[in-house]
Amino acid sequence: MKFGIIKERKNPPDRRVVFSPDELAKLKQTYHEASVEVESSDIRIFSDAEYKNMGITITEDVSNCDVLFGVKEVPVESLIPNKSYFFFSHTIKKQPYNQKLLKAILEKNIDLYDHETIVDDQNRRLIGFGKYAGMVGVYNGIRAFGLKFELFKLPKAETLAGKEALIMHLKRITMPALKFVVTGTGKVGSGAKEILDAIKIKEITVDNYLTKKYTQAVYVQLDVLEYNKRIDGQVLDFDDFVNHPEAYTSDFEKFTKVSDIYFAGHFHASNAPMILTREMLNASDCKLKVVADISCDVNGPIACTLRSSTIAEPLYGYFPLEDKEVDFFHPAAVAVMAVDNLPCEIPKDSSEGFGEQFMEYVIPAFFNGDKDGILQRAKITEKGKLTPRFSYLQDYVDGK
């Protein structure tokens, strides 16, 4: 089995990689029958030399590899026919901008595995950068507050070495007695929590958060049933919400009345209710000053996320009265941070974490006959056709 790490070719450049040099060395030690080559790259967070020092072959041509690993979409013209590829294809929700990519993958007889489709038998995602999005999202949200109210100036996350540097800079500021609300308890939520705990922000209960005043910064982390309620008033379980999201409405308004910064790190199903509405943001008793939409669903559950922002220009203002974007410093604007590729800001940490997940959950499947069905479930295309699990994409491929 010959694995290849491909060079990232998408613009803007992405410095992340599926495997760090250490992780690839571990792979070779663990699976002696595996060989690995890394396509030379001048943008990757780890240099060619760092891989060479670990005894990994650097090459200009990975066409002799069986399985190719990348992070972002591979440009159509760079796809090598008759190979297996792993990358974020952004096709499983029928994204219009990648229809040509999926079509080309089928035409070139490529077996495509998407990082998003690597799930366990309960359909839970095993691989992702979400934790690192949560970390950077918290940093960026606090940075936005400091800039908006001219209280403190934090450097951009992308200029720092990684997670530990984010924590160090956050610890240096004089933190006002702010209230932070976090939605989501998955990977993104866990990353957000890790940073808040590291900088000694006190976690409190929902009841205390809603009713008490504090002289220090505090936060609350909400699960889905703590910010949604059934329209008919029944109190049921999480499964009911998953199966009948249309029977629910947002119960988030009570948090907008007491929160300064909102970190949105939830997973949002297509017919689940809005979380933060324009009406809530427009209310005279809304206290929210910064919304850091880490999940970043444009036209999704967060009314002020009018567009995704960029690492270069991460912040904009939202004017609830007119439901429009305004200058970040507009006095009536809510500050919005909606960068959709936050893990790119700490590429070293996020690459190392990603590779560890890959080694734990995916690589063994190549050598144990895929006994847990990891590869089978993740495969979108095979021998020029969509697999049964992804046959729903046929009309998308056909351009209908």
Side-chain angles (χ1 to χ4, degrees):
M1 180 66 64
K2 194 164 197 178
F3 297 120
I5 307 298
I6 57 175
K7 176 181 177 174
E8 296 297 320
R9 290 177 164 83
K10 194 177 176 190
N11 259 328
D14 194 316
R15 304 186 70 204
R16 292 174 297 171
V17 63
V18 175
F19 288 106
S20 69
D22 284 350
E23 214 59 39
L24 278 191
K26 194 165 131 191
L27 192 158
K28 283 178 70 181
Q29 281 168 356
T30 311
Y31 302 102
H32 298 298
E33 61 271 53
S35 63
V36 183
E37 290 189 356
V38 172
E39 188 175 7
S40 178
S41 168
D42 55 356
I43 60 159
R44 199 180 282 131
I45 187 63
F46 302 104
S47 67
D48 289 357
E50 287 175 272
Y51 286 99
K52 274 184 187 164
N53 291 343
M54 286 296 190
I56 311 292
T57 303
I58 299 292
T59 181
E60 298 291 340
D61 179 11
V62 287
S63 61
N64 62 347
C65 296
D66 308 302
V67 182
L68 298 167
F69 297 117
V71 177
K72 287 286 186 67
E73 299 101 312
V74 177
V76 167
E77 64 277 9
S78 301
L79 289 166
I80 306 168
N82 309 312
K83 299 292 177 189
S84 293
Y85 272 92
F86 283 77
F87 56 84
F88 285 111
S89 71
H90 298 119
T91 56
I92 60 172
K93 293 179 186 168
K94 303 185 179 182
Q95 289 95 322
Y97 53 90
N98 280 334
Q99 188 242 1
K100 283 181 185 158
L101 173 63
L102 189 54
K103 206 170 173 157
I105 284 165
L106 290 163
E107 286 166 359
K108 293 184 184 221
N109 199 36
I110 286 166
D111 289 357
L112 172 66
Y113 302 81
D114 192 303
H115 299 313
E116 277 193 78
T117 62
I118 299 168
V119 295
D120 65 13
D121 56 6
Q122 302 294 305
N123 233 25
R124 290 175 299 220
R125 275 186 66 182
L126 297 171
I127 306 288
F129 287 106
K131 179 179 161 187
Y132 301 93
M135 290 175 178
V136 181
V138 164
Y139 180 89
N140 283 0
I142 294 171
R143 178 176 178 267
F145 186 90
L147 289 172
K148 172 92 175 158
F149 298 101
E150 298 178 346
L151 285 174
F152 46 82
K153 272 193 173 167
L154 287 164
K156 279 189 161 186
E158 63 170 328
T159 66
L160 303 176
K163 180 184 89 170
E164 294 307 323
L166 300 184
I167 292 166
M168 183 187 76
H169 279 278
L170 287 171
K171 280 182 167 176
R172 281 180 180 168
I173 64 175
T174 303
M175 185 74 75
L178 299 173
K179 279 187 167 180
F180 304 111
V181 58
V182 182
T183 51
T185 55
K187 286 189 170 69
V188 174
S190 76
K193 179 176 169 51
E194 192 170 323
I195 297 296
L196 291 168
D197 290 344
I199 61 171
K200 304 288 191 282
I201 307 294
K202 185 180 170 69
E203 184 176 13
I204 56 174
T205 65
V206 170
D207 285 348
N208 284 345
Y209 187 88
L210 292 172
T211 58
K212 292 187 176 176
K213 281 191 160 52
Y214 290 85
T215 55
Q216 67 187 98
V218 296
Y219 81 94
V220 69
Q221 185 168 28
L222 306 178
D223 212 340
V224 69
L225 292 181
E226 292 174 308
Y227 59 90
N228 288 293
K229 60 183 177 185
R230 268 190 74 104
I231 297 162
D232 63 11
Q234 287 188 79
V235 180
L236 296 172
D237 59 9
F238 176 71
D239 289 341
D240 180 66
F241 178 81
V242 171
N243 295 324
H244 306 286
E246 70 289 342
Y248 286 76
T249 187
S250 175
D251 194 24
F252 190 68
E253 186 162 22
K254 59 194 177 193
F255 294 98
T256 68
K257 297 170 195 250
V258 296
S259 302
D260 299 289
I261 301 182
Y262 170 28
F263 300 114
H266 49 265
F267 168 76
H268 190 256
S270 54
N271 47 354
M274 287 280 288
I275 298 170
L276 179 62
T277 65
R278 180 188 169 192
E279 290 70 31
M280 291 178 197
L281 287 163
N282 228 350
S284 58
D285 57 354
C286 176
K287 274 193 71 191
L288 278 175
K289 299 167 189 75
V290 175
V291 175
D293 189 356
I294 304 166
S295 298
C296 194
D297 295 309
V298 178
N299 301 319
I302 308 298
C304 53
T305 304
L306 300 178
R307 62 175 177 87
S308 55
S309 54
T310 62
I311 291 171
E313 299 287 341
L315 308 170
Y316 59 89
Y318 172 77
F319 187 33
L321 194 63
E322 295 179 16
D323 188 34
K324 69 175 189 183
E325 182 178 333
V326 292
D327 183 73
F328 175 74
F329 291 105
H330 185 297
V334 176
V336 178
M337 190 292 302
V339 176
D340 63 1
N341 56 344
L342 287 165
C344 295
E345 299 201 48
I346 49 169
K348 184 174 184 289
D349 287 331
S350 53
S351 296
E352 287 170 346
F354 198 78
E356 285 165 15
Q357 294 169 56
F358 231 88
M359 269 294 284
E360 182 177 353
Y361 297 115
V362 183
I363 297 301
F366 285 101
F367 302 97
N368 65 18
D370 193 26
K371 66 181 177 68
D372 299 315
I374 299 285
L375 299 176
Q376 185 194 342
R377 280 190 296 273
K379 191 184 280 191
I380 296 178
T381 63
E382 184 173 27
K383 297 188 174 75
K385 290 191 171 68
L386 291 164
T387 59
R389 189 175 168 92
F390 295 95
S391 58
Y392 71 89
L393 294 170
Q394 192 61 56
D395 62 343
Y396 166 65
V397 170
D398 295 340
K400 290 177 185 167

